[in-house]
Structure formats: C-alpha cells, structure tokens
Amino acid sequence: MATPQDSLHPLDSYHSESKANARKVVRAAITRPVIKAAVKTHVDGLEHAEGLPETYIVVANHTSHLDTPMIFSLLPESITRRLATGAAADYFYRQQGISKLTSLFFNTYPVERKGKQNGPNAGKAAGMTGRLLRDGVPILIFPEGTRSRDGQLGTFKPGAAALSIKLGIPIVPVALHGGHEAMPVGKVLPKFGHLPVELYLGEAMYAKDGESPEDFMARIEARIRAMLDQKTANPT
C-alpha cells in the first residue's frame, strides 16, 4: 500500500536497470581504478556473496571516507548492483547536481540528520531505509553513525538489527581495516605511499528466535571485531 512518503520520494529509480548498468560502468572505469591506484587493497570472503536473498542489510564498521567507495567497488556485482546507502539530505540533496552525482556512484538515498530537518526538503527522506528494504532494495548501513576518529570501533547502534528482525532479512557483516591510517578524518585525499586497506566479507547472519535488536547487534559487532582481530572473513 502506498504511503504519503512514496509520493515525496519515489523508489522507481532504485529498481532501474539502466541506472544500475550506468553505475556498473562508472565503478569499473573510475571508482575501482582510483581506489586501487590510491591504496593497496585486500579482499577476503567473496564466497559469502553467493546465495544471498534479494534483500539484505550490509553492516560495516566506519573507518574513513574510503569505506563506501571500497564497498561499492570491491565487492561482487551480485551484492552491489542494487545496493543503496544513505546520504545526508541537508547536504547531498540540497543541489540536484550533487545528488545525481552521488546517486550515480553509490545509489544514494536521502537521510535526515537530527537537527537538520528544516528547509524545503524536510520530510521527504522520512523512513527511506525501511521503505527501500520493504521494496526489495538492499541497504548499506554504518551502525556507528560516524567515522572513527582514532581507528577503533565505536558503539554499534541497534537500528539495522531491528530492521533485520522486523523484516526477516539477513545482515551481511563487513569488516574494514586500514582506512583510518590511509585517509584519517580531516584528509580529503588518501595519504601517499599506497597504504594497505583490507575488506572482509562475512557470512550472512540472522537473528535467533526471540533475540532482541541489541543482542543481535552485539553478535554482529563481535563478528566484525573477530574478523578484524583474526584478519579473516571466517573467524573461529
């Protein structure tokens, strides 16, 4: 059933094959070569991309501005083709040119930040994450909410776990390492030296019967920590 928000921000473009093909070309021709030229990449766990359902939530720790380009460029097309991620509505959606550019690269959707809901676009982004998931679009979420200032994991908020439980869809954990060292907060470009960055794609996780969002997210956080500590997508 349609909701008032559906008319404010339609979801058709997130299912567009032509736009998905355009993103594929841009990533192959621009994003992936730039990432590989800037940093030394290592990816582990690609076998976990097989057999995923249509809809899922990719949950990753947030080390730097390299994280989103790495995820969209280095993970298999089967995961990233329709994967969408949130972008601040008050910043990336103020100008049509910027919103189209971020959408082209990362299939973004608007997210309203606390205290930033004023202005002509206020309300248009309400509930977009849940709407997209219910419409069959997989989502990338950084549950810490912001980049790490010191390279260490922050507190994982349970929102993604709550959506996973409510909609009965899996969470795909991703562990990122090296982004903080290669491009710390305040830098607009990666450091020189082709520094190493690592991406570990974990096995899809489902909530247990009766598990709370907080407990489920704690398990996801523990899995990501284990992947980082053991430097493998298959920690023991």
Side-chain angles (χ1 to χ4, degrees):
M1 180 180 294
T3 66
Q5 286 80 12
D6 293 333
S7 61
L8 290 174
H9 198 95
L11 306 184
D12 293 349
S13 64
Y14 298 95
H15 296 282
S16 168
E17 285 298 312
S18 62
K19 290 186 177 181
N21 289 333
R23 290 193 300 270
K24 181 179 179 180
V25 171
V26 167
R27 291 167 189 168
I30 300 175
T31 317
R32 188 177 299 116
V34 168
I35 287 289
K36 288 185 174 292
V39 293
K40 182 179 180 181
T41 62
H42 170 74
V43 181
D44 184 35
L46 294 182
E47 68 274 12
H48 295 146
E50 300 176 5
L52 289 175
E54 178 186 53
T55 314
Y56 44 84
I57 303 172
V58 176
V59 164
N61 61 307
H62 206 358
T63 66
S64 79
H65 279 319
L66 285 172
D67 297 338
T68 300
M70 282 180 59
I71 287 171
F72 278 92
S73 301
L74 301 180
L75 288 182
E77 171 75 3
S78 61
I79 286 184
T80 62
R81 182 168 179 79
R82 293 186 305 113
L83 186 67
T85 190
D90 60 287
Y91 181 79
F92 290 102
Y93 282 81
R94 284 186 305 177
Q95 297 182 18
Q96 190 176 38
I98 294 177
S99 66
K100 287 186 175 181
L101 191 62
T102 58
S103 177
L104 176 61
F105 278 81
F106 307 121
N107 200 25
T108 53
Y109 64 93
V111 173
E112 291 183 343
R113 297 188 289 184
K114 290 183 178 179
K116 302 287 186 178
Q117 291 91 349
N118 296 322
N121 293 316
K124 293 185 178 181
M128 276 293 292
T129 301
R131 288 174 56 212
L132 285 166
L133 288 170
R134 284 189 291 271
D135 211 49
V137 178
I139 296 294
L140 166 64
I141 292 178
F142 296 104
E144 293 160 284
T146 187
R147 289 169 292 155
S148 172
R149 265 45 184 176
D150 57 7
Q152 301 300 310
L153 264 66
T155 301
F156 279 34
K157 299 175 178 64
L163 284 168
S164 172
I165 293 170
K166 181 178 181 179
L167 301 176
I169 59 177
I171 282 181
V172 180
V174 170
L176 298 160
H177 180 264
H180 173 74
E181 291 75 16
M183 191 175 173
V185 174
K187 293 287 185 180
V188 295
L189 293 172
K191 293 180 179 179
F192 291 109
H194 211 231
L195 297 177
V197 293
E198 300 150 14
L199 185 155
Y200 301 99
L201 176 64
E203 187 176 5
M205 300 175 66
Y206 288 85
K208 300 175 181 178
D209 289 343
E211 190 171 29
S212 70
E214 290 77 14
D215 288 344
F216 185 25
M217 185 54 79
R219 283 201 298 119
I220 296 162
E221 180 180 343
R223 178 71 60 82
I224 290 175
R225 287 184 182 276
M227 288 194 284
L228 292 172
D229 290 342
Q230 300 179 33
K231 295 189 178 298
T232 177
N234 299 288
T236 56

